Amino acid sequence: MTTSTTRPTLRLVVDGGTPVRSPQRRWPEWPVPAPGAEQLLTEALHSRRWAISSPSNGADLFERRFARRFAQYVGAAHCVPVDHGSSALVVALEALGIPHGETVLVPALTWTASATAVLRAGLVPMLVDVDPATGCVRPQDLDLDVGAAALVAVHWASVMADVPALEAVAGPAGLAIVEDVAQAHGATWQGRQAGTLGRLGCFSFQNGKVLTGGEGGAVVTDDAGLACTLEELRADSRRYRDDATPRGELDLEESAGVQGANFCLSEFSAAVLCAQLDELDAQHETRNRNYALLTELLAEVEGVRLLQPPPAQTRMSIYEATVVFDALPADVSTARLGEALTAELGRRFYPTDAPLHRSPLLQPGSKAALGPLAERFVELHRGRTYPGCDQIAGRCVQTHHSTFLGDGDDMQDIAAAVTKVRDALVRPR
Ligand SMILES: Cc1ncc(COP(=O)(O)O)c(C=O)c1O
């Protein structure tokens, strides 16, 4: 007999049951090579210009073509491509000219690169908490007492940080806002693209990102001076020459305004990015349509929901979709939830990355070269707590954006699996 507290549940796959979704049904794979990618890659290959620091053959570098097109896509005056999203953050912080050893605020709920880039720029990341409702940093989370010079505003998973509200507090306190847009290409806030709301916007084009060239990154800005500095910072103190490049010479000239390093994007990645960009908006549409459907389906499943953006976010860019289990019993871990869903669906669901205040990936003390920066990092964080981050990490699981590139049947399967897992693990037993 069933009672209200002992409801019949189908046995979970992890306990030997039958999966919600037939293992024969495939999920979309990622990345999806764009139709034009192969041709552009071949063109790059035969051009013998595999790096931007290669003798000119009179043709436009893929890197420059991509920079123009991406700047146009996000609505920024300038785009400087780099080799990784992490490098984008490093050169963006360097371009601001912040003196060595100063502090930069970074939300603790992000990938470790948002903080390690700060250390690589000779600065100290100071972790701040986030809104448990969105996973993004809020004005009230900014600790202004430490006298920070900048804020890395991370748009997390599929939700944008409210950069105008952050600016209203950070600006008067002298903090420059660098947007970390690694997880939000093409998202908009009141019609404005992520990356154009702060002083600089930093993108990653690593393999899993919604726009990818395998590896890659870019910084966008409307500030022409910063753009010049960024160019030098990423190409060993060299910039593109203003005049036409004679054949056989480099397009880069030794302008040497600021000490740079080599963070240049490969021509192969740039060629792929040129093709992938053509597909981005159609992929956003598919993902967002499926996300809206799953949101509706989960509205029927008490205690579980998909994380939603605030009303001011006018377009989502789903990097990771976050499923929130609002009343997760203390004895059910997000790892167990993720395993159970993965087994039902044959698609990976997993806990969020560990918030950085307890992530094994952020350990400045393990790197001798960081010396006093690491010591200051430890000092700054003594006794700090991150309840917003812990709340998110303690009740959410995520899945990759490509899960949403299929059709409505996939969403029905997810809703069925979530219901089954909820009934088995979360409902009072
Ligand atoms: C929020 C965030 N910032 C920065 C990065 C670093 O980008 P990359 O891996 O291209 O260096 C990532 C990559 O996952 C990220 O998610």
Side-chain angles (χ1 to χ4, degrees):
M1 205 189 101
T2 1
T3 69
S4 60
T5 53
T6 56
R7 29 184 65 248
T9 56
L10 292 170
R11 198 188 309 167
L12 294 177
V13 174
V14 284
D15 296 328
T18 310
V20 161
R21 181 174 165 111
S22 155
Q24 269 72 55
R25 289 204 59 209
R26 306 285 300 267
W27 287 97
E29 296 187 68
W30 188 261
V32 181
E38 207 166 316
Q39 195 192 323
L40 296 189
L41 263 177
T42 306
E43 207 182 298
L45 188 69
H46 294 294
S47 74
R48 298 181 196 282
R49 299 200 77 186
W50 298 355
I52 67 168
S53 52
S54 58
S56 173
N57 59 6
D60 213 3
L61 286 160
F62 281 104
E63 195 255 22
R64 298 194 83 173
R65 293 189 223 173
F66 174 70
R68 278 195 301 273
R69 291 198 41 218
F70 194 63
Q72 195 178 19
Y73 179 82
V74 300
H78 309 276
C79 168
V80 179
V82 289
D83 55 357
H84 301 97
S86 310
S87 315
L89 288 163
V90 173
V91 294
L93 289 162
E94 287 178 344
L96 290 170
I98 303 169
H100 181 84
E102 291 216 2
T103 306
V104 174
L105 304 185
V106 180
L109 192 69
T110 182
W111 180 239
T112 183
S114 311
T116 52
V118 174
L119 291 158
R120 290 170 62 195
L123 306 166
V124 186
M126 153 92 195
L127 303 176
V128 293
D129 204 11
V130 301
D131 183 351
T134 65
C136 294
V137 62
R138 299 165 293 189
Q140 61 265 43
D141 299 314
L142 303 183
D143 189 335
L144 300 176
D145 295 340
V146 295
L151 163 69
V152 176
V154 179
H155 303 296
W156 184 72
S158 50
V159 176
M160 282 179 74
D162 183 349
V163 177
L166 290 165
E167 178 60 39
V169 173
L175 277 78
I177 295 188
V178 174
E179 289 179 75
D180 184 337
V181 201
Q183 306 189 358
H185 318 61
T188 62
W189 188 269
Q190 292 172 332
R192 283 178 65 193
Q193 287 246 357
T196 64
L197 298 147
R199 289 221 38 213
L200 299 138
C202 300
F203 292 82
S204 162
F205 306 127
Q206 177 271 342
N207 204 77
K209 304 301 184 288
V210 296
L211 178 63
T212 179
E215 296 279 8
V219 187
V220 301
T221 183
D222 282 338
D223 185 320
L226 282 178
C228 278
T229 306
L230 286 165
E231 273 197 49
E232 292 189 348
L233 286 167
R234 68 87 200 264
D236 286 325
S237 314
R238 296 169 297 175
R239 294 191 52 218
Y240 283 124
R241 33 196 308 161
D242 290 326
D243 52 351
T245 310
R247 272 177 181 267
E249 305 261 321
L250 296 196
D251 288 315
L252 298 169
E253 65 180 3
E254 296 181 4
S255 43
V258 63
Q259 174 69 68
N262 185 358
F263 293 113
C264 295
L265 182 68
S266 141
E267 278 293 276
F268 295 123
S269 291
V272 172
L273 283 164
C274 284
Q276 296 303 126
L277 185 54
D278 286 336
E279 305 304 305
L280 181 57
D281 279 337
Q283 290 169 345
H284 277 317
E285 267 179 43
T286 305
R287 278 188 291 256
N288 290 353
R289 186 173 59 244
N290 281 324
Y291 198 90
L293 173 58
L294 186 57
T295 299
E296 258 174 51
L297 295 171
L298 291 188
E300 306 297 317
V301 188
E302 199 191 324
V304 190
R305 61 195 163 86
L306 270 188
L307 195 68
Q308 296 300 318
Q313 185 173 339
T314 33
R315 178 160 81 160
M316 287 184 89
S317 169
I318 299 152
Y319 169 61
E320 279 166 318
T322 306
V323 186
V324 189
F325 287 77
D326 278 310
L328 199 60
D331 63 341
V332 180
S333 68
T334 52
R336 171 111 171 105
L337 275 184
E339 277 161 24
L341 283 168
T342 302
E344 295 301 331
L345 289 163
R347 184 61 156 193
R348 193 166 165 257
F349 283 70
Y350 44 85
T352 67
D353 288 320
L356 296 181
H357 64 287
R358 50 190 172 81
S359 168
L361 304 181
L362 182 63
Q363 289 187 54
S366 64
K367 195 168 192 174
L370 292 174
L373 299 180
E375 284 160 28
R376 178 78 180 129
F377 177 83
V378 172
E379 237 173 67
L380 274 175
H381 291 91
R382 214 162 269 137
R384 286 190 180 267
T385 56
Y386 297 86
C389 294
D390 290 334
Q391 205 174 315
I392 291 252
R395 62 182 191 180
C396 297
V397 290
Q398 297 184 306
T399 187
H400 187 247
H401 62 83
S402 51
T403 303
F404 292 80
L405 282 176
D407 57 22
D409 290 347
D410 294 340
M411 301 303 108
Q412 298 281 356
D413 286 347
I414 296 174
V418 165
T419 307
K420 184 176 169 188
V421 168
R422 190 263 332 240
D423 286 350
L425 298 180
V426 180
R427 283 262 171 125
R429 278 150 289 154

